[in-house]
Amino acid sequence: QITVKESGPTLVKPTQTLTLTCTFSGFSFNTTGVGVAWIRQPPGKALEWLAVIYWDDDKRYSASLKSRLTITKDTSKDQVVLTMTNMDPVDTATYYCAYRLYSVADYWGQGTLVTVSS
Amino acid sequence: QSVLTQPPSASGTPGQRVTISCSGSSSNIGTKTVNWYQQLPGTAPKLLIYSDNQRPLGVPDRFSASKSGTSASLAISGLQSDDEADYYCAAWDGSLNGVVFGGGTKLTV
């Protein structure tokens, strides 16, 4: 059974760096094609894809946020970490991580709400 | 403004069939596969359709999808009250080198 779960701060101040961790189980990065993606959803708004890291350490980022995002994986801990710099109130959203193999996001975590406010 | 265009709302009565459209371009839907997601109120999205028209295990066959050119559509037959949710389409975009989502369609039953 594949599970993914997001963790990180619920509140960050403007200009700070956000670090989110996705802890997973039920799969490994040893499988060709496997990846973990991050997607966010501002309150009452649509989904926005942020980044993905693949089994071979290839990484892709949202074109509009690329300069602020870094995604890494730690296979020894079964974790994927997303950092987003220079946080702004418009970045307030529920952040989801998701396992992907057959689609852009096959199994989603429950999400974690991050509020950006001073 | 989302790269993929969906109607903001759709509605139907129990037992009816409804369709939700998703319009894109040659850099996404026209050349890449389409996924559909269902987001029930207050919950995380769930994969409904992958590879244009494939259902994951456990997704009822009341849900089906198709694609033609740069547009895709999701059909829900035998509408149930439990189907009331937001529905999103998504696809890889070769020009942006990333995933694009539709703006979502709120289905009211």
Side-chain angles (χ1 to χ4, degrees):
Chain A
Q1 181 188 0
I2 292 171
T3 64
V4 292
K5 187 172 183 178
E6 310 84 356
S7 60
T10 58
L11 180 65
V12 298
K13 291 180 167 46
T15 76
Q16 285 188 335
T17 293
L18 171 68
T19 299
L20 293 172
T21 301
C22 178
T23 303
F24 59 83
S25 64
F27 70 92
S28 79
F29 275 105
N30 291 330
T31 303
T32 299
V34 163
V36 170
W38 284 93
I39 298 141
R40 71 179 180 179
Q41 185 174 36
K45 295 189 177 181
L47 300 168
E48 179 183 19
W49 181 84
L50 299 177
V52 64
I53 187 165
Y54 294 102
W55 83 102
D56 59 356
D57 211 40
D58 190 20
K59 303 162 188 176
R60 295 286 185 264
Y61 296 98
S62 163
S64 61
L65 294 168
K66 185 173 184 177
S67 63
R68 300 172 53 203
L69 296 173
T70 302
I71 189 169
T72 59
K73 60 179 170 64
D74 185 336
T75 53
S76 67
K77 294 181 180 178
D78 285 346
Q79 290 180 336
V80 169
V81 175
L82 180 77
T83 60
M84 180 181 290
T85 61
N86 194 25
M87 293 293 284
D88 183 272
V90 299
D91 296 313
T92 294
T94 295
Y95 287 76
Y96 296 99
C97 71
Y99 159 89
R100 59 84 52 205
L101 179 59
Y102 298 107
S103 75
V104 303
D106 299 15
Y107 294 98
W108 300 58
Q110 63 189 22
T112 184
L113 176 60
V114 177
T115 301
V116 184
S117 174
S118 55
Chain B
Q1 191 87 6
S2 302
V3 174
L4 303 182
T5 301
Q6 297 180 237
S9 64
S11 64
T13 57
Q16 267 191 336
R17 181 178 186 270
V18 297
T19 60
I20 296 171
S21 62
C22 176
S23 177
S25 68
S26 59
S27 63
N28 42 67
I29 294 178
T31 51
K32 308 295 182 184
T33 60
V34 178
N35 309 144
W36 288 92
Y37 296 90
Q38 178 193 58
Q39 187 175 30
L40 296 169
T43 69
K46 167 191 165 186
L47 179 63
L48 213 53
I49 298 286
Y50 68 97
S51 295
D52 295 338
N53 55 20
Q54 301 299 301
R55 284 185 308 275
L57 286 174
V59 173
D61 59 8
R62 300 188 298 106
F63 295 90
S64 62
S66 61
K67 186 175 84 171
S68 178
T70 58
S71 293
S73 64
L74 173 72
I76 309 171
S77 60
L79 208 55
Q80 301 175 359
S81 56
D82 291 350
D83 298 332
E84 197 159 277
D86 293 324
Y87 292 84
Y88 293 91
C89 57
W92 187 267
D93 189 294
S95 294
L96 295 172
N97 205 21
V99 173
V100 290
F101 278 94
T105 298
K106 183 176 185 62
L107 175 64
T108 302
V109 180

